[in-house]
C-alpha cells in the first residue's frame, strides 16, 4: 500500500499548489471577472460528466489504472504549461476544460485502484490498510506546497508560482504512476455482459442510496460557492495579500489530518451517518458565518471544522460507494458518482459565479440555506450502508 500512499501525496500536491490560488490567478493574471471565473471553473466541473466515467470504465474493462493515471497527469501538466503563457478568453476556456478532463479523473481512479488492491490483498490473506490511513497522505500532500508557496510568493509579483508548482507535481506523478504503482488488471467481464457504468448507476438509483446521492449532490452544488471563491473572498473582501491565502486555507487542511486519524473513534461514537451530518452541518455553518460576519478572525475560526466536511464527503463517501460495488464495476462506481457530483458542481459553480459578481456575502448566505436542505435530505432519507468485513467498525 505504500506506493499508493505516495501516489495520493503527489496527486493532492497538484491541488495543493493550484487550488488555493486558481481563482485569484484567473482574476489577476488572466483578467477574468467573477462571472467569467465561474464559467471557467464550471468547465472543470463539467469534465466530471465525461472523464471519470469513461476513465473508470476503461480501468474496469480495458487498461491498467496506472497507465490511465499517467496519461491524465501528462495532460494536466501540458494544459497548465500552456495556461502559463499569454491566452485570450477562448483559449483560457479551452485550457481549463482540458485541465478539467484530466484532473477530475485522477481521484476516482486512485480510489478505485486502492479498493481493488485492498480486495486482492484481502483474498490473499494479507493485511489491509484502511482507506482513511491511505487518503490522509493526500491531505499531507495538499498542505506541503502552501508552505513553499508562502516563501515563493513573497518574492514574486504574480501568482504564476502556484501553476508552476502544480506542473512540477504532475510530472512527478507521471513518473511514479509508471514505475511504482501496482499493476491491477481489469476485472473479469460482468455476468451477462452488463456494462460496468450502467451497473453502477443502477445501484446508485436504488432506494437505499438515492437520497444519499441527492443530498450530497445538493451539498456539493452549494459548497462550490465556498470552495471555488473563498480565495477571492480573502483577496477582494478582506483585502489579504496573496501569499497568506494558501496558509489560511491550509489551517483547515491541518484539521483534516486530525479528523482522519480520529475516524475510527468518531465512527464508534456518532456513527457514519453522524459523520455525514456533522460534515454537512459544518459546511452550512461556515458559509453562514462568512456571510454574516465578514472578518479575518471569522475566516480563520471557520477553518477549524473543515476537516469534518472533508472526512464526510471525500473519505467516508468513497468507502460507502465501494461497499455497494461489485468487482466488475469497482472503478466505475467511483466514476459514476463523480459524474453525478460533477453535474451538481457545474450548476453550483455557474450560479455562484453569477451571484458573486453582484454580492459575495449574499451568495454565501443563499448557499448556506441550500446546505441546510442537503442536511435534512440526508438526515431523513439516508439509512446507512453496512460496513465491509475487513473494515473496523463498532
Amino acid at each position: 500500500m505504500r506506493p499508493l500512499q505516495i501516489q495520493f501525496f503527489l496527486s493532492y500536491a497538484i491541488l495543493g499548489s493550484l487550488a488555493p490560488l486558481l481563482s485569484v490567478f484567473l482574476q489577476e493574471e488572466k483578467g477574468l471577472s467573477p462571472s467569467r471565473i465561474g464559467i471557467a471553473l464550471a468547465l472543470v466541473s463539467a469534465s466530471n460528466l465525461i472523464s471519470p466515467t469513461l476513465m473508470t470504465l476503461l480501468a474496469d474493462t480495458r487498461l491498467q489504472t496506472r497507465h490511465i493515471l499517467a496519461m491524465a497527469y501528462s495532460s494536466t501538466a501540458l494544459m497548465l504549461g500552456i495556461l502559463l503563457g499569454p491566452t485570450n478568453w477562448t483559449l483560457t476556456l479551452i485550457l481549463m476544460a482540458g485541465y478539467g478532463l484530466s484532473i477530475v479523473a485522477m481521484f476516482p481512479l486512485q480510489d478505485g485502484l486502492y479498493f481493488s488492491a485492498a480486495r486482492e490483498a484481502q483474498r490473499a490473506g494479507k493485511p489491509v490498510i484502511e482507506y482513511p490511513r491511505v487518503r490522509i497522505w493526500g491531505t499531507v500532500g495538499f498542505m506541503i506546497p502552501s508552505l513553499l508557496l508562502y516563501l515563493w510568493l513573497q518574492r514574486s509579483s504574480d501568482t504564476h508560482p502556484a501553476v508552476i508548482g502544480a506542473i512540477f507535481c504532475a510530472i512527478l506523478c507521471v513518473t511514479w504512476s509508471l514505475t511504482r504503482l501496482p499493476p491491477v488488471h481489469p476485472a473479469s467481464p460482468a455476468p451477462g455482459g452488463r456494462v460496468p457504468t450502467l451497473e453502477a448507476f443502477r445501484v446508485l438509483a436504488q432506494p437505499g442510496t438515492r437520497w444519499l446521492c441527492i443530498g450530497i449532490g445538493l451539498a456539493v452544488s452549494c459548497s462550490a460557492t465556498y470552495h471555488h471563491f473563498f480565495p477571492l473572498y480573502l483577496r477582494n473582501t478582506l483585502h489579504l495579500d496573496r501569499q497568506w491565502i494558501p496558509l489560511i486555507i491550509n489551517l483547515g487542511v491541518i484539521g483534516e489530518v486530525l479528523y482522519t486519524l480520529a475516524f475510527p473513534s468518531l465512527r464508534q461514537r456518532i456513527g457514519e451517518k453522524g459523520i455525514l451530518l456533522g460534515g454537512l452541518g459544518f459546511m452550512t455553518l461556515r458559509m453562514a458565518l462568512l456571510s454574516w460576519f465578514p472578518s479575518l478572525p471569522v475566516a480563520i475560526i471557520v477553518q477549524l471544522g473543515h476537516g469534518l466536511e472533508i472526512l464526510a464527503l471525500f473519505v467516508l463517501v468513497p468507502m460507502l460507494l465501494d461497499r455497494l460495488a461489485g468487482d466488475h464495476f469497482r472503478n466505475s462506481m467511483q466514476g459514476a458518482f463523480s459524474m453525478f457530483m460533477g453535474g451538481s458542481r457545474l450548476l453550483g459553480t455557474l450560479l455562484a459565479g453569477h451571484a458573486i459578481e453582484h454580492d459575495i456575502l449574499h451568495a454565501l448566505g443563499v448557499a448556506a440555506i441550500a446546505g441546510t436542505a442537503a442536511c435534512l435530505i440526508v438526515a431523513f432519507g439516508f439509512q446507512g450502508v453496512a460496513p465491509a468485513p475487513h473494515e473496523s467498525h463498532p
Side-chain angles (χ1 to χ4, degrees), residues 25 31 44 54 72 93 95 104 112 120 146 165 181-182 199 222 226 253 260 273 282 305 308 311 327 340 361:
F25 172 83
V44 178
L54 175 60
L93 285 183
L95 292 172
V104 299
E120 289 187 5
S146 293
L181 286 186
E199 276 289 281
C222 64
Y226 171 83
V253 182
T260 303
K273 187 169 180 179
F282 169 76
L308 184 57
L311 181 67
D327 286 340
F340 181 74
L361 300 182

Side-chain angles (χ1 to χ4, degrees), residues 61-72:
T61 59
R62 299 289 180 183
L63 302 175
Q64 288 189 26
T65 302
R66 60 178 181 169
H67 295 154
I68 303 173
L69 282 170
M71 290 187 290

Side-chain angles (χ1 to χ4, degrees), residues 164-182:
I164 295 171
I167 294 170
F168 177 74
C169 293
I171 293 171
L172 289 179
C173 282
V174 174
T175 303
W176 190 262
S177 298
L178 293 175
T179 60
R180 292 291 185 267
L181 286 186

